[in-house]
Amino acid sequence: MHRFRIFSLAAIALAVCLTSWAATLNVPPRAANALSGQQFVNVILPMATPPDLQRENWIYAQIASGNVPNFMRTLVPITTNLTISGTSHTVTYYVTPDYMAIGSDSDYFLEPMTPLLAQRLDTLLGTIRPTRKMVNDIANKAVVHLQPNPIPPDPNMITVPYFNQHNTMVWTQRVVTLAAHPLGSLVDGDKKDVIVSTLIYNNLHTGVPKPVVIYGWHYPDGTFIQPEYNGHEETYADYSHGIRMV
């Protein structure tokens, strides 16, 4: 009986720990002297475009050290239903309220990154990339639906100045909604998602043996800009790519 009771208490304690972990992004507290979003932009401005490891290592180091806005740390539960082989399932998973950012609540930078870096961060934080269904679920559950704001295609769309320009465009929309939906509310419409998909290894494009797969960028009415697409290689990231931690 004692062994059973100890096991039961341990199971309850583990469940409590897992619930706590699932609701919070696993990053350290943000240091008082951490770089703001714009300070970080100034650091990476002179760095080369992907696959430059210097820039990606800077991004990794900032997130690993806890330079993430406070509002990004409390994860949002998404509950969805699906039927597999005739059996109905209900699943709850937890997501960051917006795409991964560096900086503070008052000055943050939504940071595009390659799937290679995203996977390094997933390994560090115990997270994953969303699937296409998850992206749709998140869009349906979001309380802040920003209007997608693409920049016309240009060779410079993979550069930090374009990342920064789009970050400002997104913030200009987001700030208008803050009174009704403060930071920490679930947001969509600001970026495309880098996703998990069988298109990582199926239906490959010529010359792109190891692709990044992107999807989404939903309008408020539920339609979206980007069908599931694997035409860019895995070292590619442009201003429109967002990393949502799940």
Side-chain angles (χ1 to χ4, degrees):
M1 290 295 291
H2 287 297
R3 288 183 180 178
F4 177 76
R5 185 168 182 271
I6 290 170
F7 175 80
S8 298
L9 290 173
I12 291 169
L14 177 61
V16 170
C17 289
L18 288 175
T19 300
S20 175
W21 174 86
T24 306
L25 191 65
N26 186 28
V27 291
R30 187 172 183 270
N33 63 346
L35 297 173
S36 69
Q38 283 306 301
Q39 287 173 332
F40 179 69
V41 169
N42 292 336
V43 169
I44 63 174
L45 266 174
M47 297 179 188
T49 57
D52 178 59
L53 287 179
Q54 183 186 20
R55 191 172 88 191
E56 298 242 303
N57 286 339
W58 263 90
I59 296 168
Y60 181 92
Q62 291 297 304
I63 294 171
S65 68
N67 190 9
V68 174
N70 286 331
F71 79 85
M72 195 72 72
R73 297 163 184 267
T74 301
L75 305 183
V76 179
I78 305 291
T79 298
T80 185
N81 300 304
L82 66 162
T83 299
I84 302 174
S85 300
T87 301
S88 179
H89 299 269
T90 299
V91 176
T92 298
Y93 54 92
Y94 296 80
V95 303
T96 49
D98 207 334
Y99 296 102
M100 181 52 73
I102 291 172
S104 66
D105 284 6
S106 60
D107 183 355
Y108 62 87
F109 177 60
L110 298 171
E111 177 59 74
M113 61 186 84
T114 68
L116 301 175
L117 175 56
Q119 182 58 62
R120 289 174 61 195
L121 289 169
D122 283 332
T123 300
L124 175 72
L125 303 178
T127 53
I128 60 170
R129 301 292 88 251
T131 63
R132 179 177 59 180
K133 174 174 170 44
M134 285 177 169
V135 173
N136 291 336
D137 291 341
I138 293 165
N140 289 335
K141 298 286 186 179
V143 295
V144 180
H145 299 280
L146 300 181
Q147 183 73 19
N149 207 348
I151 301 173
D154 183 297
N156 292 318
M157 63 199 295
I158 61 173
T159 65
V160 176
Y162 269 50
F163 294 0
N164 194 35
Q165 177 186 344
H166 192 253
N167 191 73
T168 300
M169 293 163 67
V170 170
W171 176 247
T172 299
Q173 290 189 66
R174 182 67 178 98
V175 71
V176 176
T177 68
L178 288 177
H181 302 293
L183 294 175
S185 303
L186 187 60
V187 177
D188 82 311
D190 43 348
K191 299 279 185 182
K192 303 172 186 175
D193 278 85
V194 175
I195 66 169
V196 171
S197 168
T198 57
L199 290 183
I200 293 171
Y201 50 82
N202 283 332
N203 300 318
L204 298 175
H205 291 243
T206 302
V208 188
K210 295 182 178 181
V212 55
V213 184
I214 53 177
Y215 172 74
W217 211 354
H218 286 69
Y219 288 102
D221 66 3
T223 60
F224 52 85
I225 292 176
Q226 182 65 66
E228 206 170 0
Y229 179 70
N230 65 347
H232 297 302
E233 40 86 26
E234 65 182 6
T235 57
Y236 180 88
D238 69 41
Y239 76 90
S240 69
H241 290 198
I243 301 297
R244 178 95 63 176
M245 298 302 187
V246 179

